Amino acid sequence: MWLINSSIGRKVVMSVTGIALILFLTFHGCMNLVALFSEEGYNMICEFLGANWYAVVATLGLAALAVIHIVYAFILTAQNRTARGNNRYEVSTVVNSGKVEWSSKNMLVLGLIVVIGLLLHLYNFWYNMMFAELIGTYQQIDPADGFAWIVETFSNPVFVVLYIVWLVALWFHLTHGFWSALQTLGWSGKIWFCRWKIIGIIYVTLLILAFLVVVLAFAFKCAPSLC
């Protein structure tokens, strides 16, 4: 199958899964913003997305997308390194001219930081909430009380710093991945190439800010219910 056996097919898979994950992050970011205005509203959303069959299916689907995206990223990186051979140790005049983005040259490192941050996030929230509720594990905080878990997590300054580092890495990763995915899918001609880069930077910046403002608001106890 060309999606698996060819480099172009693998790039298409990377692009499609990447766009799907960006759409999920958009939903997740909007959901988090609700916590700034209403504890009850946020917990209602958490209850709606609680331990039900559709939530489990959606979680497994997202996990599959993330795993596929990560695996293909490593495969493509290994292929690129093999194709360049010893040339990968040479200094490129294109790089020195500033035509290659820093994020483009460091996508693997950024990706690793993103994966580590994702695992941390899954532990702090998915494991303590949805998984705990599914298996009936006792928790000091009600697994369905998502607002309380936000308060608990971001009252720890270590987690706050780790999340900020994760979000910065995610910004670099997504701003490159946004236009790169569209280019791979053939939606980026000469005119739209620069436009998609600008749109991507604006969109991803707003998306990351949606996460960052929640982290900082709860870290400094600025949420309405905490003041």
PDB file of all heavy atoms in Angstrom, residues 167-193:
ATOM      1  N   LEU A 167       4.344  23.761  26.035  1.00  0.00           N
ATOM      2  CA  LEU A 167       3.541  24.602  25.151  1.00  0.00           C
ATOM      3  C   LEU A 167       4.421  25.394  24.182  1.00  0.00           C
ATOM      4  O   LEU A 167       4.041  25.588  23.021  1.00  0.00           O
ATOM      5  CB  LEU A 167       2.668  25.548  25.974  1.00  0.00           C
ATOM      6  CG  LEU A 167       1.520  24.876  26.743  1.00  0.00           C
ATOM      7  CD1 LEU A 167       0.837  25.874  27.671  1.00  0.00           C
ATOM      8  CD2 LEU A 167       0.506  24.258  25.775  1.00  0.00           C
ATOM      9  N   VAL A 168       5.588  25.834  24.647  1.00  0.00           N
ATOM     10  CA  VAL A 168       6.516  26.528  23.751  1.00  0.00           C
ATOM     11  C   VAL A 168       6.993  25.581  22.645  1.00  0.00           C
ATOM     12  O   VAL A 168       7.013  25.939  21.459  1.00  0.00           O
ATOM     13  CB  VAL A 168       7.721  27.091  24.537  1.00  0.00           C
ATOM     14  CG1 VAL A 168       8.793  27.613  23.576  1.00  0.00           C
ATOM     15  CG2 VAL A 168       7.268  28.212  25.463  1.00  0.00           C
ATOM     16  N   ALA A 169       7.360  24.361  23.027  1.00  0.00           N
ATOM     17  CA  ALA A 169       7.781  23.360  22.036  1.00  0.00           C
ATOM     18  C   ALA A 169       6.643  23.033  21.083  1.00  0.00           C
ATOM     19  O   ALA A 169       6.853  22.868  19.873  1.00  0.00           O
ATOM     20  CB  ALA A 169       8.258  22.090  22.745  1.00  0.00           C
ATOM     21  N   LEU A 170       5.440  22.952  21.625  1.00  0.00           N
ATOM     22  CA  LEU A 170       4.268  22.663  20.802  1.00  0.00           C
ATOM     23  C   LEU A 170       4.021  23.782  19.794  1.00  0.00           C
ATOM     24  O   LEU A 170       3.642  23.524  18.650  1.00  0.00           O
ATOM     25  CB  LEU A 170       3.049  22.479  21.709  1.00  0.00           C
ATOM     26  CG  LEU A 170       1.795  21.834  21.111  1.00  0.00           C
ATOM     27  CD1 LEU A 170       2.105  20.461  20.535  1.00  0.00           C
ATOM     28  CD2 LEU A 170       0.705  21.727  22.171  1.00  0.00           C
ATOM     29  N   TRP A 171       4.256  25.027  20.208  1.00  0.00           N
ATOM     30  CA  TRP A 171       4.076  26.165  19.290  1.00  0.00           C
ATOM     31  C   TRP A 171       5.022  26.050  18.102  1.00  0.00           C
ATOM     32  O   TRP A 171       4.607  26.179  16.955  1.00  0.00           O
ATOM     33  CB  TRP A 171       4.328  27.483  20.032  1.00  0.00           C
ATOM     34  CG  TRP A 171       4.067  28.682  19.160  1.00  0.00           C
ATOM     35  CD1 TRP A 171       2.894  29.328  18.976  1.00  0.00           C
ATOM     36  CD2 TRP A 171       5.039  29.373  18.344  1.00  0.00           C
ATOM     37  NE1 TRP A 171       3.044  30.386  18.101  1.00  0.00           N
ATOM     38  CE2 TRP A 171       4.356  30.431  17.698  1.00  0.00           C
ATOM     39  CE3 TRP A 171       6.403  29.199  18.106  1.00  0.00           C
ATOM     40  CZ2 TRP A 171       4.986  31.303  16.819  1.00  0.00           C
ATOM     41  CZ3 TRP A 171       7.048  30.064  17.228  1.00  0.00           C
ATOM     42  CH2 TRP A 171       6.338  31.101  16.604  1.00  0.00           C
ATOM     43  N   PHE A 172       6.298  25.794  18.374  1.00  0.00           N
ATOM     44  CA  PHE A 172       7.275  25.645  17.292  1.00  0.00           C
ATOM     45  C   PHE A 172       6.911  24.466  16.391  1.00  0.00           C
ATOM     46  O   PHE A 172       7.004  24.553  15.161  1.00  0.00           O
ATOM     47  CB  PHE A 172       8.681  25.453  17.862  1.00  0.00           C
ATOM     48  CG  PHE A 172       9.350  26.725  18.291  1.00  0.00           C
ATOM     49  CD1 PHE A 172       9.507  27.019  19.643  1.00  0.00           C
ATOM     50  CD2 PHE A 172       9.823  27.628  17.348  1.00  0.00           C
ATOM     51  CE1 PHE A 172      10.129  28.198  20.038  1.00  0.00           C
ATOM     52  CE2 PHE A 172      10.440  28.802  17.737  1.00  0.00           C
ATOM     53  CZ  PHE A 172      10.595  29.100  19.086  1.00  0.00           C
ATOM     54  N   HIS A 173       6.512  23.374  17.013  1.00  0.00           N
ATOM     55  CA  HIS A 173       6.185  22.160  16.259  1.00  0.00           C
ATOM     56  C   HIS A 173       4.979  22.382  15.348  1.00  0.00           C
ATOM     57  O   HIS A 173       4.990  22.007  14.177  1.00  0.00           O
ATOM     58  CB  HIS A 173       5.905  21.015  17.243  1.00  0.00           C
ATOM     59  CG  HIS A 173       5.811  19.675  16.581  1.00  0.00           C
ATOM     60  ND1 HIS A 173       6.914  18.946  16.193  1.00  0.00           N
ATOM     61  CD2 HIS A 173       4.736  18.920  16.238  1.00  0.00           C
ATOM     62  CE1 HIS A 173       6.536  17.813  15.640  1.00  0.00           C
ATOM     63  NE2 HIS A 173       5.211  17.766  15.658  1.00  0.00           N
ATOM     64  N   LEU A 174       3.941  23.009  15.877  1.00  0.00           N
ATOM     65  CA  LEU A 174       2.704  23.178  15.115  1.00  0.00           C
ATOM     66  C   LEU A 174       2.800  24.268  14.054  1.00  0.00           C
ATOM     67  O   LEU A 174       2.179  24.147  12.992  1.00  0.00           O
ATOM     68  CB  LEU A 174       1.542  23.488  16.067  1.00  0.00           C
ATOM     69  CG  LEU A 174       1.128  22.378  17.027  1.00  0.00           C
ATOM     70  CD1 LEU A 174      -0.070  22.817  17.860  1.00  0.00           C
ATOM     71  CD2 LEU A 174       0.796  21.096  16.275  1.00  0.00           C
ATOM     72  N   THR A 175       3.546  25.341  14.332  1.00  0.00           N
ATOM     73  CA  THR A 175       3.644  26.400  13.331  1.00  0.00           C
ATOM     74  C   THR A 175       4.329  25.888  12.065  1.00  0.00           C
ATOM     75  O   THR A 175       3.971  26.265  10.950  1.00  0.00           O
ATOM     76  CB  THR A 175       4.430  27.619  13.866  1.00  0.00           C
ATOM     77  OG1 THR A 175       5.654  27.179  14.463  1.00  0.00           O
ATOM     78  CG2 THR A 175       3.604  28.395  14.874  1.00  0.00           C
ATOM     79  N   HIS A 176       5.304  25.003  12.242  1.00  0.00           N
ATOM     80  CA  HIS A 176       5.927  24.382  11.070  1.00  0.00           C
ATOM     81  C   HIS A 176       5.012  23.317  10.476  1.00  0.00           C
ATOM     82  O   HIS A 176       4.818  23.261   9.255  1.00  0.00           O
ATOM     83  CB  HIS A 176       7.269  23.747  11.441  1.00  0.00           C
ATOM     84  CG  HIS A 176       7.862  22.937  10.330  1.00  0.00           C
ATOM     85  ND1 HIS A 176       8.529  23.496   9.271  1.00  0.00           N
ATOM     86  CD2 HIS A 176       7.844  21.594  10.094  1.00  0.00           C
ATOM     87  CE1 HIS A 176       8.905  22.540   8.434  1.00  0.00           C
ATOM     88  NE2 HIS A 176       8.521  21.382   8.917  1.00  0.00           N
ATOM     89  N   GLY A 177       4.440  22.482  11.347  1.00  0.00           N
ATOM     90  CA  GLY A 177       3.617  21.379  10.864  1.00  0.00           C
ATOM     91  C   GLY A 177       2.371  21.826  10.141  1.00  0.00           C
ATOM     92  O   GLY A 177       1.893  21.142   9.217  1.00  0.00           O
ATOM     93  N   PHE A 178       1.815  22.984  10.512  1.00  0.00           N
ATOM     94  CA  PHE A 178       0.573  23.479   9.914  1.00  0.00           C
ATOM     95  C   PHE A 178       0.729  23.682   8.414  1.00  0.00           C
ATOM     96  O   PHE A 178       0.015  23.083   7.611  1.00  0.00           O
ATOM     97  CB  PHE A 178       0.168  24.790  10.588  1.00  0.00           C
ATOM     98  CG  PHE A 178      -1.172  25.325  10.159  1.00  0.00           C
ATOM     99  CD1 PHE A 178      -2.315  25.024  10.881  1.00  0.00           C
ATOM    100  CD2 PHE A 178      -1.294  26.126   9.030  1.00  0.00           C
ATOM    101  CE1 PHE A 178      -3.552  25.520  10.487  1.00  0.00           C
ATOM    102  CE2 PHE A 178      -2.520  26.621   8.621  1.00  0.00           C
ATOM    103  CZ  PHE A 178      -3.653  26.316   9.359  1.00  0.00           C
ATOM    104  N   TRP A 179       1.685  24.548   8.025  1.00  0.00           N
ATOM    105  CA  TRP A 179       1.838  24.823   6.589  1.00  0.00           C
ATOM    106  C   TRP A 179       2.478  23.645   5.854  1.00  0.00           C
ATOM    107  O   TRP A 179       2.203  23.411   4.668  1.00  0.00           O
ATOM    108  CB  TRP A 179       2.650  26.102   6.350  1.00  0.00           C
ATOM    109  CG  TRP A 179       4.071  26.085   6.813  1.00  0.00           C
ATOM    110  CD1 TRP A 179       4.559  26.602   7.976  1.00  0.00           C
ATOM    111  CD2 TRP A 179       5.198  25.541   6.125  1.00  0.00           C
ATOM    112  NE1 TRP A 179       5.922  26.407   8.053  1.00  0.00           N
ATOM    113  CE2 TRP A 179       6.343  25.764   6.929  1.00  0.00           C
ATOM    114  CE3 TRP A 179       5.362  24.885   4.899  1.00  0.00           C
ATOM    115  CZ2 TRP A 179       7.615  25.347   6.549  1.00  0.00           C
ATOM    116  CZ3 TRP A 179       6.639  24.464   4.521  1.00  0.00           C
ATOM    117  CH2 TRP A 179       7.745  24.695   5.344  1.00  0.00           C
ATOM    118  N   SER A 180       3.331  22.889   6.557  1.00  0.00           N
ATOM    119  CA  SER A 180       3.972  21.742   5.932  1.00  0.00           C
ATOM    120  C   SER A 180       2.941  20.681   5.542  1.00  0.00           C
ATOM    121  O   SER A 180       3.031  20.070   4.468  1.00  0.00           O
ATOM    122  CB  SER A 180       5.010  21.140   6.882  1.00  0.00           C
ATOM    123  OG  SER A 180       5.644  20.024   6.300  1.00  0.00           O
ATOM    124  N   ALA A 181       1.935  20.471   6.413  1.00  0.00           N
ATOM    125  CA  ALA A 181       0.887  19.490   6.125  1.00  0.00           C
ATOM    126  C   ALA A 181       0.070  19.912   4.911  1.00  0.00           C
ATOM    127  O   ALA A 181      -0.236  19.100   4.018  1.00  0.00           O
ATOM    128  CB  ALA A 181      -0.025  19.324   7.340  1.00  0.00           C
ATOM    129  N   LEU A 182      -0.278  21.184   4.845  1.00  0.00           N
ATOM    130  CA  LEU A 182      -1.056  21.679   3.717  1.00  0.00           C
ATOM    131  C   LEU A 182      -0.262  21.626   2.421  1.00  0.00           C
ATOM    132  O   LEU A 182      -0.803  21.346   1.347  1.00  0.00           O
ATOM    133  CB  LEU A 182      -1.524  23.110   3.995  1.00  0.00           C
ATOM    134  CG  LEU A 182      -2.492  23.267   5.170  1.00  0.00           C
ATOM    135  CD1 LEU A 182      -2.806  24.734   5.418  1.00  0.00           C
ATOM    136  CD2 LEU A 182      -3.786  22.503   4.912  1.00  0.00           C
ATOM    137  N   GLN A 183       1.029  21.869   2.517  1.00  0.00           N
ATOM    138  CA  GLN A 183       1.893  21.785   1.343  1.00  0.00           C
ATOM    139  C   GLN A 183       1.961  20.348   0.833  1.00  0.00           C
ATOM    140  O   GLN A 183       1.899  20.098  -0.375  1.00  0.00           O
ATOM    141  CB  GLN A 183       3.286  22.295   1.689  1.00  0.00           C
ATOM    142  CG  GLN A 183       4.232  22.372   0.494  1.00  0.00           C
ATOM    143  CD  GLN A 183       5.589  22.887   0.893  1.00  0.00           C
ATOM    144  OE1 GLN A 183       6.160  22.437   1.886  1.00  0.00           O
ATOM    145  NE2 GLN A 183       6.125  23.824   0.134  1.00  0.00           N
ATOM    146  N   THR A 184       2.077  19.392   1.749  1.00  0.00           N
ATOM    147  CA  THR A 184       2.125  17.978   1.380  1.00  0.00           C
ATOM    148  C   THR A 184       0.845  17.541   0.683  1.00  0.00           C
ATOM    149  O   THR A 184       0.866  16.760  -0.277  1.00  0.00           O
ATOM    150  CB  THR A 184       2.354  17.099   2.627  1.00  0.00           C
ATOM    151  OG1 THR A 184       3.609  17.440   3.211  1.00  0.00           O
ATOM    152  CG2 THR A 184       2.342  15.623   2.269  1.00  0.00           C
ATOM    153  N   LEU A 185      -0.282  18.063   1.156  1.00  0.00           N
ATOM    154  CA  LEU A 185      -1.581  17.690   0.574  1.00  0.00           C
ATOM    155  C   LEU A 185      -1.896  18.467  -0.697  1.00  0.00           C
ATOM    156  O   LEU A 185      -2.957  18.294  -1.286  1.00  0.00           O
ATOM    157  CB  LEU A 185      -2.685  17.926   1.612  1.00  0.00           C
ATOM    158  CG  LEU A 185      -2.596  17.063   2.879  1.00  0.00           C
ATOM    159  CD1 LEU A 185      -3.674  17.480   3.877  1.00  0.00           C
ATOM    160  CD2 LEU A 185      -2.732  15.586   2.543  1.00  0.00           C
ATOM    161  N   GLY A 186      -0.973  19.327  -1.126  1.00  0.00           N
ATOM    162  CA  GLY A 186      -1.149  20.035  -2.391  1.00  0.00           C
ATOM    163  C   GLY A 186      -2.030  21.254  -2.303  1.00  0.00           C
ATOM    164  O   GLY A 186      -2.538  21.734  -3.322  1.00  0.00           O
ATOM    165  N   TRP A 187      -2.218  21.796  -1.090  1.00  0.00           N
ATOM    166  CA  TRP A 187      -3.085  22.965  -0.916  1.00  0.00           C
ATOM    167  C   TRP A 187      -2.277  24.253  -0.791  1.00  0.00           C
ATOM    168  O   TRP A 187      -2.769  25.260  -0.303  1.00  0.00           O
ATOM    169  CB  TRP A 187      -3.942  22.801   0.342  1.00  0.00           C
ATOM    170  CG  TRP A 187      -4.891  21.642   0.261  1.00  0.00           C
ATOM    171  CD1 TRP A 187      -5.214  20.935  -0.846  1.00  0.00           C
ATOM    172  CD2 TRP A 187      -5.616  21.047   1.336  1.00  0.00           C
ATOM    173  NE1 TRP A 187      -6.088  19.927  -0.543  1.00  0.00           N
ATOM    174  CE2 TRP A 187      -6.359  19.969   0.803  1.00  0.00           C
ATOM    175  CE3 TRP A 187      -5.706  21.318   2.701  1.00  0.00           C
ATOM    176  CZ2 TRP A 187      -7.186  19.182   1.582  1.00  0.00           C
ATOM    177  CZ3 TRP A 187      -6.520  20.521   3.474  1.00  0.00           C
ATOM    178  CH2 TRP A 187      -7.268  19.466   2.928  1.00  0.00           C
ATOM    179  N   SER A 188      -1.037  24.194  -1.217  1.00  0.00           N
ATOM    180  CA  SER A 188      -0.163  25.351  -1.010  1.00  0.00           C
ATOM    181  C   SER A 188       0.616  25.646  -2.286  1.00  0.00           C
ATOM    182  O   SER A 188       1.663  25.067  -2.527  1.00  0.00           O
ATOM    183  CB  SER A 188       0.798  25.079   0.154  1.00  0.00           C
ATOM    184  OG  SER A 188       1.681  26.153   0.328  1.00  0.00           O
ATOM    185  N   GLY A 189       0.095  26.550  -3.118  1.00  0.00           N
ATOM    186  CA  GLY A 189       0.799  26.977  -4.310  1.00  0.00           C
ATOM    187  C   GLY A 189       1.749  28.112  -3.996  1.00  0.00           C
ATOM    188  O   GLY A 189       2.022  28.424  -2.836  1.00  0.00           O
ATOM    189  N   LYS A 190       2.278  28.747  -5.032  1.00  0.00           N
ATOM    190  CA  LYS A 190       3.233  29.837  -4.822  1.00  0.00           C
ATOM    191  C   LYS A 190       2.599  30.997  -4.060  1.00  0.00           C
ATOM    192  O   LYS A 190       3.224  31.610  -3.207  1.00  0.00           O
ATOM    193  CB  LYS A 190       3.760  30.319  -6.173  1.00  0.00           C
ATOM    194  CG  LYS A 190       4.655  29.300  -6.879  1.00  0.00           C
ATOM    195  CD  LYS A 190       5.192  29.866  -8.185  1.00  0.00           C
ATOM    196  CE  LYS A 190       6.119  28.873  -8.866  1.00  0.00           C
ATOM    197  NZ  LYS A 190       6.648  29.408 -10.148  1.00  0.00           N
ATOM    198  N   ILE A 191       1.348  31.303  -4.399  1.00  0.00           N
ATOM    199  CA  ILE A 191       0.686  32.431  -3.755  1.00  0.00           C
ATOM    200  C   ILE A 191       0.309  32.098  -2.319  1.00  0.00           C
ATOM    201  O   ILE A 191       0.497  32.899  -1.397  1.00  0.00           O
ATOM    202  CB  ILE A 191      -0.564  32.855  -4.546  1.00  0.00           C
ATOM    203  CG1 ILE A 191      -0.165  33.349  -5.943  1.00  0.00           C
ATOM    204  CG2 ILE A 191      -1.343  33.942  -3.796  1.00  0.00           C
ATOM    205  CD1 ILE A 191      -1.333  33.715  -6.821  1.00  0.00           C
ATOM    206  N   TRP A 192      -0.233  30.865  -2.118  1.00  0.00           N
ATOM    207  CA  TRP A 192      -0.774  30.509  -0.814  1.00  0.00           C
ATOM    208  C   TRP A 192       0.271  30.007   0.171  1.00  0.00           C
ATOM    209  O   TRP A 192      -0.018  29.864   1.358  1.00  0.00           O
ATOM    210  CB  TRP A 192      -1.870  29.460  -0.971  1.00  0.00           C
ATOM    211  CG  TRP A 192      -3.193  30.101  -1.227  1.00  0.00           C
ATOM    212  CD1 TRP A 192      -3.773  30.345  -2.428  1.00  0.00           C
ATOM    213  CD2 TRP A 192      -4.091  30.607  -0.233  1.00  0.00           C
ATOM    214  NE1 TRP A 192      -4.978  30.980  -2.267  1.00  0.00           N
ATOM    215  CE2 TRP A 192      -5.203  31.149  -0.923  1.00  0.00           C
ATOM    216  CE3 TRP A 192      -4.063  30.672   1.157  1.00  0.00           C
ATOM    217  CZ2 TRP A 192      -6.271  31.737  -0.253  1.00  0.00           C
ATOM    218  CZ3 TRP A 192      -5.121  31.250   1.825  1.00  0.00           C
ATOM    219  CH2 TRP A 192      -6.206  31.774   1.118  1.00  0.00           C
ATOM    220  N   PHE A 193       1.478  29.746  -0.313  1.00  0.00           N
ATOM    221  CA  PHE A 193       2.515  29.234   0.595  1.00  0.00           C
ATOM    222  C   PHE A 193       2.752  30.207   1.766  1.00  0.00           C
ATOM    223  O   PHE A 193       2.679  29.828   2.935  1.00  0.00           O
ATOM    224  CB  PHE A 193       3.814  29.000  -0.166  1.00  0.00           C
ATOM    225  CG  PHE A 193       4.934  28.511   0.706  1.00  0.00           C
ATOM    226  CD1 PHE A 193       4.958  27.198   1.166  1.00  0.00           C
ATOM    227  CD2 PHE A 193       5.974  29.360   1.091  1.00  0.00           C
ATOM    228  CE1 PHE A 193       5.991  26.736   1.973  1.00  0.00           C
ATOM    229  CE2 PHE A 193       6.998  28.916   1.898  1.00  0.00           C
ATOM    230  CZ  PHE A 193       7.007  27.603   2.334  1.00  0.00           C
TER     231      PHE A 193
END
